[in-house]
Amino acid sequence: MKRLYENALIYGRLFTVDRPHLVERYNQALGAFRLPATSLESFDIDRTGFSPQVARELDDFDYLDPAGINRRFIILTPAQASLPVVHTRFSNTGGLMHEFYTANARAIHALTIKDVIYGEIEDNVSAIEDIEDLLSIEQVEFKVLSAENVLAKAAELRTLVDRLKSEPDAWRDDAMLEHMVELARTTGDIRSNRMVPDQVVFRHSAFWTSHFGGTYVFVDDKMTTVISDPRAPGFRRSRPWQVSYLDKNDHARVFRFLSRSGRIELPSAAWLEGSGFLDHRIDMTLKGLMHRINPAADLATADPVMMQTFLARNAGPIRADGVYPFLNAARRELSRTGRIDIRDVPDALRFQLVRGKPDHPDVWLTNRLISEYVPADFITRYVFNKQGFYDDYEGWADGWRAFVVETLKSAYLSDKPALRARLFGLP
């Protein structure tokens, strides 16, 4: 993972905490969670306050997610709103945090001037033991606290201000007035600074979770669909009247669900020709084959002549693998007729030709699921399913790791929006 870290492919774009008062505030939040204080003088945090350096120090990468549910958060600065989330058990943690920051921007700005905000993203489930526990999560509530108790003091001061306005003789209560002054020393002027978050309850919709080997939950008007390992406890037994269960290894049924629910863009010249999507998949597949068949090959110097030579010398194993010949045939068919009939494509290969529908709310989750079925496309895997990419990376040889890192740097990190827009139709 060192190479990924050095090239900003893991734990990139984080906020560096190196000012003593911010380190102290972070330790106050850790103490409130009954965790040891960090001895680090500088560390990085993501949108939720998770720090990879603190995690290594504590030898616990789940220190903000101890039960895999009811995620904890630590907010030192409003600047965290624009950071990524780099470690989570649920794919929508980042989205929920973004909604919280957006809905309560003024309060977060005012509070973090004087204090650290911390708490939990709570729901009605305390542990994930089976599928039913996942289905029970319909909304979450941010339980918000602050180390210096600014939130409670602001609420108390607001009550006393209202009393002062509504009770004719309240201004004669010297003790109350002195207490208000004391509270204001901590909270500041609450008339201009909104100190209490307004919105703390948010809808919990479609998501992926790492539980049970990776589970996807898609929510539609009349049906919820769970895509998981069929060995997961509760699979096909929890709420069968309102939940459809799909074995994630059943390519045909998973594809049919995504297609019928309007979550994928089927192959057509309208988007395939201008995006370079097929060429991208062909290149990823060919490079993967070259490494698999000849691990010593220097892919960094691969040119068209080298690739043609490889194809000629390895026609047998390439034909046996099947993916490269299929994609080449699909490209020819698209060029000749302007269309590809997905019904003629074998179930296991259909995901090679589709992407998440760009205007669907679940597009990122859909592309994450698609990446499970196109493992050779490590760029798609990295963009939409970083944890899956990191798991793959752990099992790769060093030479392949180096090639993948250099490819991601040149093809993705150099201009992320451009690649997302071209290949996936996303901003």
Side-chain angles (χ1 to χ4, degrees):
M1 291 295 180
K2 182 181 179 182
R3 182 183 280 115
L4 293 177
Y5 184 79
E6 290 173 345
N7 289 279
L9 288 167
I10 188 172
Y11 306 142
R13 292 197 307 110
L14 302 186
F15 178 84
T16 299
V17 179
D18 56 5
R19 299 171 67 181
H21 74 284
L22 292 181
V23 174
E24 181 183 357
R25 289 178 185 178
Y26 194 87
N27 277 330
Q28 288 176 319
L30 290 178
F33 293 139
R34 302 185 188 280
L35 292 170
T38 177
S39 60
L40 301 173
E41 296 181 355
S42 175
F43 52 89
D44 301 321
I45 59 173
D46 72 355
R47 188 181 302 173
T48 69
F50 169 83
S51 168
Q53 295 93 342
V54 172
R56 283 193 289 269
E57 182 186 30
L58 297 176
D59 193 23
D60 181 7
F61 274 76
D62 287 327
Y63 74 99
L64 292 185
D65 208 358
I69 192 72
N70 295 333
R71 173 61 180 258
R72 295 168 173 175
F73 58 88
I74 300 174
I75 301 175
L76 295 175
T77 168
Q80 287 175 239
S82 62
L83 304 179
V85 174
V86 299
H87 184 77
T88 180
R89 296 289 194 93
F90 285 83
S91 63
N92 59 351
T93 298
L96 291 168
M97 287 296 302
H98 178 74
E99 289 186 69
F100 178 75
Y101 278 106
T102 301
N104 302 291
R106 284 184 60 188
I108 292 171
H109 178 79
L111 281 166
T112 51
I113 292 173
K114 298 174 175 288
D115 207 350
V116 55
I117 305 170
Y118 64 90
E120 292 186 351
I121 307 175
E122 290 190 351
D123 51 53
N124 58 331
V125 177
S126 58
I128 301 295
E129 297 178 350
D130 56 29
I131 295 291
E132 175 59 31
D133 293 325
L134 294 176
L135 298 175
S136 297
I137 307 172
E138 296 181 352
Q139 66 181 31
V140 299
E141 180 177 357
F142 280 72
K143 295 294 185 181
V144 186
L145 301 168
S146 63
E148 298 296 331
N149 210 20
V150 172
L151 283 167
K153 290 177 180 178
E156 183 182 4
L157 182 55
R158 173 66 64 190
T159 300
L160 294 177
V161 168
D162 291 343
R163 180 183 168 191
L164 192 63
K165 292 178 179 178
S166 61
E167 296 180 14
D169 294 329
W171 64 274
R172 300 178 184 274
D173 188 338
D174 291 339
M176 185 188 80
L177 295 175
E178 289 176 6
H179 186 49
M180 290 175 68
V181 170
E182 186 63 30
L183 290 172
R185 289 195 177 101
T186 299
T187 66
D189 188 347
I190 61 171
R191 294 173 301 177
S192 58
N193 293 332
R194 183 179 297 164
M195 305 298 289
V196 180
D198 290 327
Q199 185 178 348
V200 294
V201 177
F202 300 91
R203 181 74 180 171
H204 194 285
S205 54
F207 61 91
W208 165 90
T209 176
S210 63
H211 293 280
F212 314 126
T215 300
Y216 291 80
V217 177
F218 291 93
V219 181
D220 294 299
D221 289 341
K222 296 181 180 179
M223 181 65 69
T224 295
T225 301
V226 171
I227 301 175
S228 178
D229 186 324
R231 293 170 296 181
F235 190 85
R236 292 202 178 101
R237 293 194 300 275
S238 181
R239 309 186 197 181
W241 62 91
Q242 66 177 187
V243 179
S244 172
Y245 291 89
L246 304 180
D247 178 348
K248 65 181 180 182
N249 297 310
D250 189 336
H251 295 74
R253 291 192 65 200
V254 172
F255 188 92
R256 189 160 57 245
F257 159 71
L258 293 176
S259 178
R260 290 179 176 176
S261 63
R263 286 181 166 87
I264 55 174
E265 200 160 24
L266 295 174
S268 71
W271 69 273
L272 277 175
E273 288 186 340
S275 67
F277 188 86
L278 265 180
D279 290 335
H280 164 75
R281 281 276 156 87
I282 289 171
D283 183 62
M284 290 284 96
T285 300
L286 183 55
K287 296 290 177 56
L289 281 168
M290 291 177 73
H291 170 68
R292 231 180 338 161
I293 294 172
N294 181 13
D298 184 5
L299 296 176
T301 62
D303 57 20
V305 174
M306 177 179 174
M307 288 178 152
Q308 286 301 320
T309 302
F310 168 78
L311 289 170
R313 290 177 176 174
N314 297 278
I318 291 171
R319 188 167 52 250
D321 178 77
V323 178
Y324 178 78
F326 161 73
L327 289 173
N328 253 342
R331 182 167 57 183
R332 289 193 299 270
E333 180 69 12
L334 186 71
S335 176
R336 187 175 65 86
T337 67
R339 62 187 292 272
I340 299 171
D341 192 337
I342 201 70
R343 293 171 297 182
D344 297 334
V345 177
D347 295 335
L349 295 172
R350 290 180 174 182
F351 290 103
Q352 297 284 348
L353 301 177
V354 299
R355 66 183 184 183
K357 205 165 190 178
D359 59 355
H360 196 285
D362 295 340
V363 59
W364 280 79
L365 186 65
T366 301
N367 279 323
R368 181 185 191 119
L369 177 58
I370 290 172
S371 78
E372 305 262 11
Y373 303 108
V374 288
D377 187 352
F378 58 79
I379 290 181
T380 295
R381 191 93 157 142
Y382 180 81
V383 174
F384 297 104
N385 186 1
K386 285 187 174 57
Q387 190 54 56
F389 171 85
Y390 297 143
D391 291 342
D392 294 343
Y393 185 89
E394 290 282 9
W396 290 339
D398 191 66
W400 181 244
R401 288 178 178 178
F403 171 74
V404 167
V405 166
E406 290 305 312
T407 302
L408 285 171
K409 283 170 61 180
S410 60
Y412 183 55
L413 291 191
S414 60
D415 195 340
K416 297 179 185 180
L419 182 136
R420 290 196 297 258
R422 179 171 60 85
L423 292 182
F424 306 105
L426 297 173

